[in-house]
Amino acid sequence: MRRIGVLALLVTSALPLPGWSASRIVELSAQNLEAVALGDLTAYIDGRTIWLKLKDGRVLRGQFEVKPGSSFGELGKSRGIDRPGGAYTSSGDLIVHGKPTFIDMTGPGGATVHCEVMHDSAINSGSGVCLFSNGAEYRVLY
């Protein structure tokens, strides 16, 4: 059985994202050949829960957590999310007062996704990166 990734930000807390509305749509843009094979994806956040429907119909689900005072893991650091200018809003402005945010999701057949995002609750925006269990990498921007 082939494992395929799930959208994820490491979740360890049950705190809602400050400044977020009850539901939100997040776009994921393919960044490598594995992701291009899956296509651009859209995730849906409702409260603290996030869902991602893959093109083959499988649905992955997880939780998100803002972790003030924490630092990014290897994924976020290697993609520069933690450096000045590494995270920006959908309008292209830099995220200045962001906090590390993590999501982990799982789905049928062992599919997983891990995301690391810089979230700025003052402007309700964020950007980051997601890595799927099949190696697909996506840029997240909202």
Side-chain angles (χ1 to χ4, degrees), residues 3-132:
R3 289 183 63 177
I4 193 154
V6 175
L7 169 65
L9 297 178
L10 177 62
V11 180
T12 58
S13 162
L15 298 174
L17 289 174
W20 275 45
S21 59
S23 22
R24 182 169 190 100
I25 295 174
V26 178
E27 298 295 325
L28 288 86
S29 301
Q31 298 295 301
N32 63 8
L33 292 176
E34 293 84 357
V36 169
L38 293 175
D40 288 344
L41 300 171
T42 302
Y44 177 75
I45 297 173
D46 185 23
R48 293 179 311 254
T49 302
I50 185 167
W51 289 270
L52 174 68
K53 185 175 182 180
L54 299 175
K55 302 293 182 194
D56 66 5
R58 287 186 289 166
V59 176
L60 304 148
R61 182 178 171 184
Q63 300 285 314
F64 60 79
E65 176 188 17
V66 177
K67 297 176 86 176
S70 67
S71 61
F72 283 102
E74 184 58 35
L75 178 63
K77 288 179 181 177
S78 68
R79 301 309 183 274
I81 302 302
D82 63 328
R83 293 191 295 267
Y88 47 89
T89 68
S90 56
S91 62
D93 298 324
L94 293 178
I95 293 178
V96 180
H97 303 291
K99 294 177 179 58
T101 303
F102 304 91
I103 296 172
D104 284 315
M105 292 178 58
T106 58
T112 63
V113 174
H114 174 74
C115 300
E116 298 187 12
V117 175
M118 185 67 79
H119 174 76
D120 189 333
S121 60
I123 58 175
N124 199 22
S125 291
S127 72
V129 62
C130 296
L131 184 62
F132 286 48

